[in-house]
Amino acid sequence: MLVLGISCDYHDSAAALVDRGKIVAAVEEERLSRVKHDSSLPVNAVASCLAIAGIGPDDVDTIVFHEKPLAVLSRVIATRQRRGPRALPSFARDVPHMLGTNMMIGYRIQRMMLELGGRRTPRIVYGEHHTSHAAAAFLPSPFESAAILTVDGIGEWSTASIGYGSGNRITVIEEMRYPNSLGLLYTLMTTWCGFEANDGEYKLMGLAPYGEPRFADALSEVVQRREDGSIHIEAKKLRWWSRVNASNKQLVDLFDGPPRQSGEPLTGREADLARSIQEFTERTVMKMAERAVASTSQRRLCMAGGVALNCVANGKLLRSGLVDDLWIQPAAGDAGSAIGAALWWVHNESAVPRQPATPTDGQFVVDTMDGAALGPSFAADETITWLDSQGIDHLEMDADELCDHIAAELAAGKVVGWFHGPMEFGPRALGYRSILADPRSPAIQRDLNLRVKGRESFRPFAPAVLWEYASQWFDIDRPAPYMLVTAQVSADRLVDVDDEPTDIIDRVRVVRSEIPACTHVDGSARVQTVHHEINPTFHRLITAFEKLTGCPVLLNTSFNRAGEPIVCTPRDAVETARAAQLDVLVIDNVVVSRASIASASLSTDANTSVTE
């Protein structure tokens, strides 16, 4: 039973292939189209999934779309109707577009499969948006049973849900509905602070520790949180239907001025707005989780939806003691609902038994996401042939020699592009498509942000730490392989700060721990624990670095530049390494120097695309 899950038409389109409950492949369209947050029908991602599996379009039995387009259209029409003439501009903007895209999704999928070489159309079925999220949260998890919490912007009508998972079944128990949406509220504040919607939420979360929650009372004018964790939005005040917030005088007054324009300097106001909405989000997620635990009598919790990517809220939830364990879908946003839609059909509708995750070496239970390494990989001989064709000098090494060599380069202060094995699925680079550096350097954080990544200097970087040493460096007592929770740097690794600057940029430069490049202003870090069972080569590299330096931590950030998707192919890696002025590039077992990258004259030939 080969089932293809698809999500598209809003942001972060993706495809996932499931074979009798096993996730064979999952790919985001943006990685192949090179359009950040690509929302289009994921033609390239589907083709990649088929290639990874070694099958053709006609081998697919069922295609599952992640939501119900007719229900989405009914919500758009109903909400516009309630607002009367004021809604005519948004009605004229949105409904014709939906009729030509969302309502035609079945036909578009049929045409796509034929264009990919199919001679028949597989059965097409439709899941519900939050059911797809719930399935992505629970069914790949290591738990036999658990509470499920999904929180995002909006699905058909739902904006959050509580469910229960047991064996191969999931049941949605409660829903919160539009216009009451925590995800949309967080996105509104993201844009008010001058960042892009559905992209800049990470920035808002990173900015929050630099501010104070002085807009908490202002927020209470537009949103109220109930005891059960649900919220009530004053939709008229927020004007959900309008894309122009600067003209909303009520919000301008509440938030001490109009929205910050992109490119304008960040001020204390934006930091305070960020802190205010972040604290509201944390408390709301906590209340929602409390409701989920009480409703299901389960102390294990699974989460998905875009809000589940808020690693600060996740870390506080885990440390609260409210739940015994927490598993979050690594592709928690809409991309992950492609996996959820396929798994929902296989397990819930077709009753295929769910294969439970098993312990590895008695250390911990691994989920069925394969470390999120579900994308394309590239044959070594094809990569070498392509490098030769581009005149790029390179050096081949075996695994041990490679890790020892790169560890020495990192210890010497080099910045390394690390391209190894299958591409990750989800927004975090997990040691397959990463930029790596020495976290002990006080200067590397600013250098990476401004020169290499080309982004705001206040943005923090994540530490990748060997699981064996994690509790010695961070206040963490369980695996965190997907970089989805924050933890405090251990107290004995922190350094005293005698004079705390007031300016945001000056505060960024303060050394706060033994790994200053990975320590945020509040002493926290978005931790990735690295396990031999999940990614043995990355684990071997950090082990080699630890032997050289005594530090079992590497700075790990995504292999891309601002506004670009994470690299997918060797060609993407070379182009990004050159633009970012990386010192060293590793493509599987091949090492390329900065000089070789700089002198290369890339042809316009297609990317290396052979998958193993």
Side-chain angles (χ1 to χ4, degrees):
M1 179 184 287
L2 286 165
V3 177
L4 183 68
I6 289 176
S7 63
C8 66
D9 288 341
Y10 295 101
H11 54 86
D12 300 307
S13 296
L17 187 67
V18 172
D19 183 3
R20 295 197 63 82
K22 176 177 172 54
I23 305 169
V24 176
V27 182
E28 293 161 89
E29 183 70 6
E30 67 164 23
R31 308 291 172 85
L32 301 163
S33 69
R34 308 309 300 159
V35 177
K36 185 77 168 173
H37 301 301
D38 196 339
S39 64
S40 63
L41 186 68
V43 179
N44 297 303
V46 169
S48 182
C49 286
L50 298 178
I52 291 169
I55 63 171
D58 288 340
D59 295 311
V60 175
D61 299 298
T62 304
I63 297 175
V64 190
F65 192 63
H66 74 130
E67 68 180 9
K68 295 183 180 295
L70 187 59
V72 175
L73 180 64
S74 69
R75 183 252 304 163
V76 171
I77 292 175
T79 53
R80 300 308 191 274
Q81 182 183 29
R82 291 174 190 171
R83 297 182 189 115
R86 293 175 301 174
L88 283 175
S90 63
F91 182 92
R93 178 190 70 217
D94 295 337
V95 173
H97 172 74
M98 293 184 68
L99 291 173
T101 55
N102 303 65
M103 297 306 298
M104 296 292 288
I105 187 62
Y107 168 73
R108 292 160 60 206
I109 290 173
Q110 290 176 348
R111 188 176 62 183
M112 172 186 70
M113 297 303 281
L114 293 175
E115 290 175 352
L116 290 173
R119 292 175 294 177
R120 66 172 184 86
T121 302
R123 171 177 49 183
I124 301 174
V125 297
Y126 301 89
E128 291 184 336
H129 188 92
H130 274 263
T131 299
S132 295
H133 275 319
F138 172 70
L139 292 172
S141 80
F143 307 141
E144 177 60 27
S145 63
I148 306 169
L149 176 62
T150 69
V151 192
D152 69 357
I154 192 170
E156 293 87 357
W157 280 94
S158 298
T159 61
S161 74
I162 289 171
Y164 170 67
S166 178
N168 65 341
R169 309 289 293 181
I170 58 169
T171 304
V172 175
I173 300 171
E174 298 181 62
E175 294 181 333
M176 187 168 71
R177 293 195 152 206
Y178 180 84
N180 303 312
S181 171
L182 182 62
L184 289 179
L185 181 65
Y186 201 92
T187 293
L188 170 66
M189 299 305 293
T190 297
T191 58
W192 202 274
C193 289
F195 306 126
E196 188 175 348
N198 299 316
D199 180 71
E201 285 80 1
Y202 304 126
K203 302 178 185 180
L204 195 73
M205 184 175 62
L207 181 61
Y210 291 97
E212 297 296 332
R214 68 180 178 94
F215 289 99
D217 290 342
L219 275 175
S220 69
E221 295 288 319
V222 296
V223 59
Q224 296 85 44
R225 180 177 51 248
R226 302 184 179 101
E227 190 59 29
D228 64 358
S230 64
I231 62 173
H232 173 72
I233 295 282
E234 302 292 344
K236 290 183 179 180
K237 289 184 178 180
L238 292 183
R239 296 183 188 174
W240 274 156
W241 61 91
S242 174
R243 291 183 180 179
V244 182
N245 291 311
S247 62
N248 188 334
K249 187 176 185 304
Q250 291 184 80
L251 294 189
V252 171
D253 291 342
L254 282 173
F255 300 148
D256 283 3
R260 168 182 169 264
Q261 298 301 303
S262 178
E264 290 182 350
L266 282 167
T267 69
R269 183 194 72 145
E270 286 76 53
D272 293 343
L273 285 169
R275 179 69 173 270
S276 301
I277 187 60
Q278 177 63 32
E279 289 198 358
F280 181 86
T281 299
E282 291 165 10
R283 294 191 180 108
T284 304
V285 169
M286 194 79 70
K287 281 292 185 182
M288 288 181 171
E290 185 178 336
R291 176 74 171 182
V293 168
S295 299
T296 62
S297 299
Q298 295 286 314
R299 289 187 56 82
R300 289 180 173 137
L301 179 67
C302 297
M303 292 179 63
V307 175
L309 292 170
N310 193 305
C311 58
V312 178
N314 297 340
K316 291 186 177 181
L317 171 59
L318 192 57
R319 292 189 295 274
S320 71
L322 177 64
V323 296
D324 293 337
D325 213 344
L326 176 66
W327 191 86
I328 303 161
Q329 165 59 236
D334 279 2
S337 62
I339 286 179
L343 290 176
W344 162 76
W345 178 258
V346 169
H347 294 303
N348 242 50
E349 301 304 303
S350 300
V352 172
R354 176 172 168 242
Q355 295 298 319
T358 55
T360 59
D361 295 342
Q363 293 190 27
F364 65 94
V365 176
V366 178
D367 54 56
T368 57
M369 284 291 293
D370 285 339
L374 297 167
S377 58
F378 297 84
D381 57 344
E382 292 285 341
T383 297
I384 290 169
T385 298
W386 180 78
L387 289 170
D388 288 339
S389 73
Q390 306 301 308
I392 300 174
D393 293 333
H394 55 273
L395 184 63
E396 294 180 61
M397 298 182 180
D398 64 32
D400 286 330
E401 184 183 12
L402 173 71
C403 290
D404 289 342
H405 174 73
I406 297 303
E409 294 281 65
L410 289 164
K414 301 290 183 65
V415 179
V416 176
W418 181 259
F419 180 110
H420 202 282
M423 182 177 65
E424 303 95 332
F425 184 64
R428 312 292 196 218
L430 301 171
Y432 301 95
R433 303 288 187 273
S434 294
I435 293 175
L436 306 174
D438 186 344
R440 301 170 302 161
S441 168
I444 197 67
Q445 191 258 7
R446 180 175 173 81
D447 182 51
L448 278 177
N449 270 327
L450 298 181
R451 176 179 65 86
V452 176
K453 300 281 283 187
R455 66 184 199 181
E456 298 87 353
S457 63
F458 71 85
R459 302 272 298 275
F461 289 103
V465 59
L466 295 175
W467 167 238
E468 301 89 318
Y469 294 88
S471 62
Q472 300 175 27
W473 286 76
F474 304 96
D475 291 339
I476 191 167
D477 62 356
R478 65 198 70 205
Y482 297 122
M483 207 186 289
L484 287 171
V485 297
T486 59
Q488 292 299 115
V489 176
S490 294
D492 58 351
R493 305 288 178 181
L494 297 174
V495 299
D496 293 331
V497 177
D498 296 326
D499 184 19
E500 183 70 63
T502 57
D503 181 75
I504 292 175
I505 302 305
D506 290 339
R507 294 180 73 188
V508 170
R509 299 170 181 162
V510 174
V511 173
R512 301 180 186 278
S513 78
E514 294 178 27
I515 47 170
C518 292
T519 304
H520 206 21
V521 64
D522 57 356
S524 69
R526 190 180 68 204
V527 179
Q528 177 197 3
T529 57
V530 180
H531 307 260
H532 179 268
E533 299 88 349
I534 295 177
N535 190 339
T537 303
F538 194 38
H539 186 277
R540 186 181 300 176
L541 172 64
I542 304 176
T543 299
F545 183 78
E546 191 277 331
K547 288 179 179 177
L548 276 178
T549 65
C551 178
V553 182
L554 283 179
L555 181 154
N556 178 16
T557 187
S558 54
F559 198 160
N560 67 331
R561 283 175 56 77
E564 299 175 354
I566 295 173
V567 301
C568 175
T569 68
R571 183 187 184 93
D572 298 337
V574 171
E575 290 179 334
T576 301
R578 180 159 59 186
Q581 303 177 57
L582 300 184
D583 299 308
V584 182
L585 171 62
V586 177
I587 304 178
D588 291 314
N589 65 331
V590 173
V591 179
V592 184
S593 69
R594 181 172 179 173
S596 296
I597 296 168
S599 63
S601 179
L602 298 181
S603 70
T604 56
D605 294 340
N607 285 341
T608 305
S609 58
V610 176
T611 59
E612 294 181 320

